[in-house]
Amino acid sequence: MDLNRVLIFAQVVEQGSFTAAAKALGLTKSTISRKVAELEADAGAQLLFRTTRALKLTEAGANYYNKISKILLDLQSAEDQLSEQQQVIKGNLKIVCPIELGQLILGRMFAQFLRQYPEITIEAELTNRKVDVIEEGVDILFQITQSHDPRLQSYALSNSHKTLVASPEYLARYGTPLLPMDLLAHKVIKLQSAHIDGSWNIFDGKTWLHLDPGAQLTVNNVTLAREAAIEGLGIAQIPSFIAQEALDKGQLITLLNDYPLSQTKVVLCYPQRAYLPRKYRVFIEFLYASMEKRLGELILEKPDFIA
């Protein structure tokens, strides 16, 4: 039995096309098509209906996929278990994290971790785009979110506290908002992307207000929003750890401190699996040890294997 053909067929089903399967496996589309055709020829049965728009499993194909998917899952679990038992911890970690979190916090931590585990390599992508961990083969994802993907094991690391800020020059020119509804009369800088809601949710003492003030500048990068606020363009909603240096220097001032904003969380995610590879485990253990020094009791959730 050619297990490569079995794996390729499973990827075609899961990715929904020969093209997507080729991209996921790093093969050419013609190779994918040929291997599936060879599998069908050896089996003596058609497994897929091919159309110009989509692929569809035949009855035989559906039965075959249901059986092999369980086998492939067992093989992955066996490989993970073997990885967990190896003496020298090695391998590559593909890690994706928000740009600012990577720049300000994770960069030094990665360097310290790799010094301790020289046989591990890290491929890090800093991005604020929406990431599909499973489809893109990501090992570890850090994200600032309130949503949950059931395909992933997720742990809320800490709250990402947000605050409203503006420069002294802006406030001198346009006045200081005293009530949440006053924000609608001000110039604002909006942070918005495919997975960041640009609206502001603020509690006025009685109810949560969902404000969506018009913005002259809309960005998908919080550092850019901070710099525009420092320059006096308007009011911005920024995570405290991003704004802190400018606050300390007096370049920005916090606003409406008596009215809390809805908060998001910094979340650690990785694919659900029966056995956790040792490279995952040692990285997560190192991450939490580093966070304990920085946040202490403010850490929200921990995996069972973290003391």
Side-chain angles (χ1 to χ4, degrees), residues 23-54:
K23 181 179 179 181
L25 294 171
L27 300 172
T28 65
K29 182 180 177 182
S30 60
T31 297
I32 298 291
S33 180
R34 175 169 54 81
K35 289 293 185 181
V36 172
E38 289 174 357
L39 182 62
E40 289 178 320
D42 286 351
Q46 185 177 358
L47 302 176
L48 294 166
F49 290 120
R50 298 162 176 79
T51 69
T52 56
R53 292 188 176 181

mmCIF file of all heavy atoms in Angstrom, residues 23-54:
data_model
loop_
_atom_site.group_PDB
_atom_site.id
_atom_site.type_symbol
_atom_site.label_atom_id
_atom_site.label_comp_id
_atom_site.label_asym_id
_atom_site.label_seq_id
_atom_site.Cartn_x
_atom_site.Cartn_y
_atom_site.Cartn_z
ATOM 1 N N LYS A 23 -1.244 22.768 -2.632
ATOM 2 C CA LYS A 23 -0.639 23.853 -1.859
ATOM 3 C C LYS A 23 -0.323 23.394 -0.442
ATOM 4 O O LYS A 23 0.749 23.683 0.104
ATOM 5 C CB LYS A 23 -1.594 25.054 -1.827
ATOM 6 C CG LYS A 23 -1.041 26.251 -1.068
ATOM 7 C CD LYS A 23 -2.034 27.411 -1.102
ATOM 8 C CE LYS A 23 -1.484 28.604 -0.327
ATOM 9 N NZ LYS A 23 -2.463 29.744 -0.331
ATOM 10 N N ALA A 24 -1.251 22.644 0.172
ATOM 11 C CA ALA A 24 -1.056 22.190 1.547
ATOM 12 C C ALA A 24 0.097 21.202 1.664
ATOM 13 O O ALA A 24 0.826 21.191 2.664
ATOM 14 C CB ALA A 24 -2.344 21.553 2.077
ATOM 15 N N LEU A 25 0.282 20.365 0.636
ATOM 16 C CA LEU A 25 1.306 19.323 0.680
ATOM 17 C C LEU A 25 2.612 19.733 0.012
ATOM 18 O O LEU A 25 3.603 19.000 0.077
ATOM 19 C CB LEU A 25 0.773 18.048 0.012
ATOM 20 C CG LEU A 25 -0.393 17.362 0.742
ATOM 21 C CD1 LEU A 25 -0.978 16.249 -0.118
ATOM 22 C CD2 LEU A 25 0.056 16.817 2.088
ATOM 23 N N GLY A 26 2.612 20.871 -0.661
ATOM 24 C CA GLY A 26 3.823 21.317 -1.345
ATOM 25 C C GLY A 26 4.140 20.510 -2.589
ATOM 26 O O GLY A 26 5.303 20.318 -2.942
ATOM 27 N N LEU A 27 3.082 20.029 -3.267
ATOM 28 C CA LEU A 27 3.236 19.245 -4.491
ATOM 29 C C LEU A 27 2.556 19.970 -5.646
ATOM 30 O O LEU A 27 1.849 20.952 -5.450
ATOM 31 C CB LEU A 27 2.617 17.849 -4.315
ATOM 32 C CG LEU A 27 3.195 16.976 -3.189
ATOM 33 C CD1 LEU A 27 2.344 15.724 -3.011
ATOM 34 C CD2 LEU A 27 4.640 16.594 -3.493
ATOM 35 N N THR A 28 2.787 19.462 -6.849
ATOM 36 C CA THR A 28 2.108 20.047 -8.007
ATOM 37 C C THR A 28 0.704 19.477 -8.124
ATOM 38 O O THR A 28 0.424 18.362 -7.664
ATOM 39 C CB THR A 28 2.884 19.761 -9.298
ATOM 40 O OG1 THR A 28 2.888 18.343 -9.544
ATOM 41 C CG2 THR A 28 4.315 20.268 -9.206
ATOM 42 N N LYS A 29 -0.170 20.229 -8.760
ATOM 43 C CA LYS A 29 -1.539 19.774 -8.956
ATOM 44 C C LYS A 29 -1.571 18.501 -9.796
ATOM 45 O O LYS A 29 -2.385 17.592 -9.545
ATOM 46 C CB LYS A 29 -2.360 20.881 -9.628
ATOM 47 C CG LYS A 29 -3.821 20.515 -9.843
ATOM 48 C CD LYS A 29 -4.570 21.663 -10.516
ATOM 49 C CE LYS A 29 -6.010 21.270 -10.806
ATOM 50 N NZ LYS A 29 -6.736 22.365 -11.506
ATOM 51 N N SER A 30 -0.683 18.408 -10.788
ATOM 52 C CA SER A 30 -0.664 17.216 -11.644
ATOM 53 C C SER A 30 -0.271 15.972 -10.855
ATOM 54 O O SER A 30 -0.800 14.878 -11.087
ATOM 55 C CB SER A 30 0.303 17.426 -12.817
ATOM 56 O OG SER A 30 1.619 17.657 -12.350
ATOM 57 N N THR A 31 0.648 16.133 -9.900
ATOM 58 C CA THR A 31 1.036 14.997 -9.059
ATOM 59 C C THR A 31 -0.132 14.546 -8.197
ATOM 60 O O THR A 31 -0.392 13.337 -8.057
ATOM 61 C CB THR A 31 2.223 15.393 -8.151
ATOM 62 O OG1 THR A 31 3.341 15.717 -8.969
ATOM 63 C CG2 THR A 31 2.595 14.249 -7.215
ATOM 64 N N ILE A 32 -0.853 15.495 -7.628
ATOM 65 C CA ILE A 32 -2.020 15.172 -6.806
ATOM 66 C C ILE A 32 -3.048 14.398 -7.630
ATOM 67 O O ILE A 32 -3.560 13.352 -7.214
ATOM 68 C CB ILE A 32 -2.656 16.458 -6.239
ATOM 69 C CG1 ILE A 32 -1.672 17.187 -5.327
ATOM 70 C CG2 ILE A 32 -3.951 16.141 -5.511
ATOM 71 C CD1 ILE A 32 -1.363 16.491 -4.039
ATOM 72 N N SER A 33 -3.350 14.900 -8.819
ATOM 73 C CA SER A 33 -4.343 14.262 -9.685
ATOM 74 C C SER A 33 -3.907 12.861 -10.083
ATOM 75 O O SER A 33 -4.702 11.909 -10.070
ATOM 76 C CB SER A 33 -4.566 15.135 -10.922
ATOM 77 O OG SER A 33 -5.523 14.549 -11.767
ATOM 78 N N ARG A 34 -2.617 12.714 -10.404
ATOM 79 C CA ARG A 34 -2.110 11.398 -10.836
ATOM 80 C C ARG A 34 -2.175 10.384 -9.698
ATOM 81 O O ARG A 34 -2.570 9.232 -9.903
ATOM 82 C CB ARG A 34 -0.678 11.553 -11.347
ATOM 83 C CG ARG A 34 0.013 10.235 -11.714
ATOM 84 C CD ARG A 34 1.316 10.494 -12.461
ATOM 85 N NE ARG A 34 2.192 11.396 -11.713
ATOM 86 C CZ ARG A 34 2.974 10.996 -10.716
ATOM 87 N NH1 ARG A 34 2.972 9.734 -10.328
ATOM 88 N NH2 ARG A 34 3.749 11.871 -10.099
ATOM 89 N N LYS A 35 -1.801 10.790 -8.494
ATOM 90 C CA LYS A 35 -1.803 9.871 -7.366
ATOM 91 C C LYS A 35 -3.219 9.408 -7.019
ATOM 92 O O LYS A 35 -3.451 8.243 -6.683
ATOM 93 C CB LYS A 35 -1.158 10.540 -6.148
ATOM 94 C CG LYS A 35 0.353 10.721 -6.258
ATOM 95 C CD LYS A 35 1.071 9.377 -6.250
ATOM 96 C CE LYS A 35 2.573 9.527 -6.245
ATOM 97 N NZ LYS A 35 3.270 8.220 -6.269
ATOM 98 N N VAL A 36 -4.183 10.311 -7.092
ATOM 99 C CA VAL A 36 -5.571 9.926 -6.827
ATOM 100 C C VAL A 36 -6.076 8.979 -7.911
ATOM 101 O O VAL A 36 -6.759 7.986 -7.621
ATOM 102 C CB VAL A 36 -6.470 11.171 -6.716
ATOM 103 C CG1 VAL A 36 -7.944 10.766 -6.627
ATOM 104 C CG2 VAL A 36 -6.085 12.005 -5.496
ATOM 105 N N ALA A 37 -5.711 9.253 -9.165
ATOM 106 C CA ALA A 37 -6.102 8.371 -10.263
ATOM 107 C C ALA A 37 -5.494 6.975 -10.086
ATOM 108 O O ALA A 37 -6.157 5.957 -10.340
ATOM 109 C CB ALA A 37 -5.674 8.977 -11.597
ATOM 110 N N GLU A 38 -4.246 6.910 -9.652
ATOM 111 C CA GLU A 38 -3.596 5.617 -9.403
ATOM 112 C C GLU A 38 -4.313 4.861 -8.284
ATOM 113 O O GLU A 38 -4.495 3.642 -8.367
ATOM 114 C CB GLU A 38 -2.130 5.835 -9.015
ATOM 115 C CG GLU A 38 -1.241 6.312 -10.161
ATOM 116 C CD GLU A 38 0.161 6.655 -9.672
ATOM 117 O OE1 GLU A 38 0.403 6.563 -8.449
ATOM 118 O OE2 GLU A 38 1.006 7.022 -10.523
ATOM 119 N N LEU A 39 -4.713 5.581 -7.235
ATOM 120 C CA LEU A 39 -5.430 4.958 -6.123
ATOM 121 C C LEU A 39 -6.759 4.386 -6.600
ATOM 122 O O LEU A 39 -7.129 3.254 -6.247
ATOM 123 C CB LEU A 39 -5.658 5.992 -5.018
ATOM 124 C CG LEU A 39 -6.363 5.513 -3.751
ATOM 125 C CD1 LEU A 39 -5.550 4.431 -3.055
ATOM 126 C CD2 LEU A 39 -6.605 6.686 -2.800
ATOM 127 N N GLU A 40 -7.474 5.129 -7.435
ATOM 128 C CA GLU A 40 -8.748 4.654 -7.962
ATOM 129 C C GLU A 40 -8.541 3.439 -8.870
ATOM 130 O O GLU A 40 -9.324 2.474 -8.826
ATOM 131 C CB GLU A 40 -9.441 5.779 -8.738
ATOM 132 C CG GLU A 40 -9.969 6.901 -7.847
ATOM 133 C CD GLU A 40 -10.601 8.033 -8.632
ATOM 134 O OE1 GLU A 40 -10.044 8.403 -9.698
ATOM 135 O OE2 GLU A 40 -11.645 8.542 -8.200
ATOM 136 N N ALA A 41 -7.475 3.465 -9.680
ATOM 137 C CA ALA A 41 -7.202 2.351 -10.585
ATOM 138 C C ALA A 41 -6.899 1.073 -9.808
ATOM 139 O O ALA A 41 -7.406 -0.008 -10.133
ATOM 140 C CB ALA A 41 -6.035 2.705 -11.509
ATOM 141 N N ASP A 42 -6.073 1.186 -8.766
ATOM 142 C CA ASP A 42 -5.734 0.010 -7.961
ATOM 143 C C ASP A 42 -6.940 -0.511 -7.191
ATOM 144 O O ASP A 42 -7.099 -1.719 -6.997
ATOM 145 C CB ASP A 42 -4.606 0.345 -6.984
ATOM 146 C CG ASP A 42 -3.259 0.467 -7.689
ATOM 147 O OD1 ASP A 42 -3.185 0.129 -8.888
ATOM 148 O OD2 ASP A 42 -2.293 0.909 -7.047
ATOM 149 N N ALA A 43 -7.783 0.417 -6.722
ATOM 150 C CA ALA A 43 -8.964 0.007 -5.962
ATOM 151 C C ALA A 43 -10.068 -0.520 -6.861
ATOM 152 O O ALA A 43 -10.957 -1.247 -6.405
ATOM 153 C CB ALA A 43 -9.485 1.195 -5.145
ATOM 154 N N GLY A 44 -10.039 -0.138 -8.133
ATOM 155 C CA GLY A 44 -11.084 -0.561 -9.056
ATOM 156 C C GLY A 44 -12.401 0.132 -8.783
ATOM 157 O O GLY A 44 -13.475 -0.428 -9.056
ATOM 158 N N ALA A 45 -12.337 1.340 -8.229
ATOM 159 C CA ALA A 45 -13.564 2.077 -7.923
ATOM 160 C C ALA A 45 -13.307 3.562 -8.045
ATOM 161 O O ALA A 45 -12.210 4.043 -7.738
ATOM 162 C CB ALA A 45 -14.042 1.757 -6.502
ATOM 163 N N GLN A 46 -14.328 4.298 -8.488
ATOM 164 C CA GLN A 46 -14.219 5.744 -8.551
ATOM 165 C C GLN A 46 -14.481 6.323 -7.167
ATOM 166 O O GLN A 46 -15.478 5.996 -6.514
ATOM 167 C CB GLN A 46 -15.226 6.324 -9.549
ATOM 168 C CG GLN A 46 -15.086 7.828 -9.748
ATOM 169 C CD GLN A 46 -16.055 8.369 -10.803
ATOM 170 O OE1 GLN A 46 -16.809 7.607 -11.407
ATOM 171 N NE2 GLN A 46 -16.028 9.677 -11.021
ATOM 172 N N LEU A 47 -13.572 7.176 -6.704
ATOM 173 C CA LEU A 47 -13.681 7.745 -5.367
ATOM 174 C C LEU A 47 -14.221 9.164 -5.373
ATOM 175 O O LEU A 47 -14.814 9.614 -4.388
ATOM 176 C CB LEU A 47 -12.303 7.733 -4.688
ATOM 177 C CG LEU A 47 -11.636 6.356 -4.566
ATOM 178 C CD1 LEU A 47 -10.246 6.503 -3.978
ATOM 179 C CD2 LEU A 47 -12.482 5.425 -3.721
ATOM 180 N N LEU A 48 -14.009 9.872 -6.487
ATOM 181 C CA LEU A 48 -14.413 11.276 -6.569
ATOM 182 C C LEU A 48 -15.162 11.558 -7.860
ATOM 183 O O LEU A 48 -14.801 11.043 -8.924
ATOM 184 C CB LEU A 48 -13.186 12.191 -6.500
ATOM 185 C CG LEU A 48 -12.381 12.239 -5.204
ATOM 186 C CD1 LEU A 48 -11.047 12.920 -5.453
ATOM 187 C CD2 LEU A 48 -13.148 12.952 -4.110
ATOM 188 N N PHE A 49 -16.219 12.368 -7.767
ATOM 189 C CA PHE A 49 -16.829 12.958 -8.944
ATOM 190 C C PHE A 49 -16.104 14.270 -9.206
ATOM 191 O O PHE A 49 -15.988 15.117 -8.326
ATOM 192 C CB PHE A 49 -18.322 13.252 -8.720
ATOM 193 C CG PHE A 49 -19.182 12.030 -8.628
ATOM 194 C CD1 PHE A 49 -19.925 11.785 -7.476
ATOM 195 C CD2 PHE A 49 -19.260 11.133 -9.674
ATOM 196 C CE1 PHE A 49 -20.729 10.671 -7.381
ATOM 197 C CE2 PHE A 49 -20.071 10.009 -9.593
ATOM 198 C CZ PHE A 49 -20.810 9.770 -8.438
ATOM 199 N N ARG A 50 -15.599 14.458 -10.404
ATOM 200 C CA ARG A 50 -14.856 15.678 -10.734
ATOM 201 C C ARG A 50 -15.710 16.566 -11.633
ATOM 202 O O ARG A 50 -16.187 16.123 -12.678
ATOM 203 C CB ARG A 50 -13.547 15.329 -11.447
ATOM 204 C CG ARG A 50 -12.591 14.491 -10.602
ATOM 205 C CD ARG A 50 -11.544 13.820 -11.493
ATOM 206 N NE ARG A 50 -10.538 13.082 -10.752
ATOM 207 C CZ ARG A 50 -10.703 11.876 -10.243
ATOM 208 N NH1 ARG A 50 -11.887 11.265 -10.381
ATOM 209 N NH2 ARG A 50 -9.727 11.263 -9.596
ATOM 210 N N THR A 51 -15.903 17.808 -11.214
ATOM 211 C CA THR A 51 -16.591 18.794 -12.045
ATOM 212 C C THR A 51 -15.698 20.017 -12.160
ATOM 213 O O THR A 51 -14.673 20.124 -11.508
ATOM 214 C CB THR A 51 -17.948 19.196 -11.425
ATOM 215 O OG1 THR A 51 -17.702 19.950 -10.238
ATOM 216 C CG2 THR A 51 -18.781 17.960 -11.081
ATOM 217 N N THR A 52 -16.104 20.940 -13.000
ATOM 218 C CA THR A 52 -15.296 22.160 -13.182
ATOM 219 C C THR A 52 -15.354 23.047 -11.951
ATOM 220 O O THR A 52 -14.477 23.883 -11.742
ATOM 221 C CB THR A 52 -15.794 22.959 -14.402
ATOM 222 O OG1 THR A 52 -17.195 23.238 -14.238
ATOM 223 C CG2 THR A 52 -15.568 22.163 -15.677
ATOM 224 N N ARG A 53 -16.375 22.884 -11.115
ATOM 225 C CA ARG A 53 -16.552 23.772 -9.965
ATOM 226 C C ARG A 53 -16.128 23.147 -8.635
ATOM 227 O O ARG A 53 -15.658 23.837 -7.747
ATOM 228 C CB ARG A 53 -18.017 24.211 -9.862
ATOM 229 C CG ARG A 53 -18.450 25.128 -10.994
ATOM 230 C CD ARG A 53 -19.830 25.670 -10.724
ATOM 231 N NE ARG A 53 -20.250 26.623 -11.740
ATOM 232 C CZ ARG A 53 -21.407 27.271 -11.731
ATOM 233 N NH1 ARG A 53 -22.265 27.067 -10.732
ATOM 234 N NH2 ARG A 53 -21.714 28.125 -12.688
ATOM 235 N N ALA A 54 -16.323 21.835 -8.493
ATOM 236 C CA ALA A 54 -16.069 21.231 -7.191
ATOM 237 C C ALA A 54 -15.839 19.738 -7.317
ATOM 238 O O ALA A 54 -16.059 19.140 -8.369
ATOM 239 C CB ALA A 54 -17.241 21.496 -6.251
#
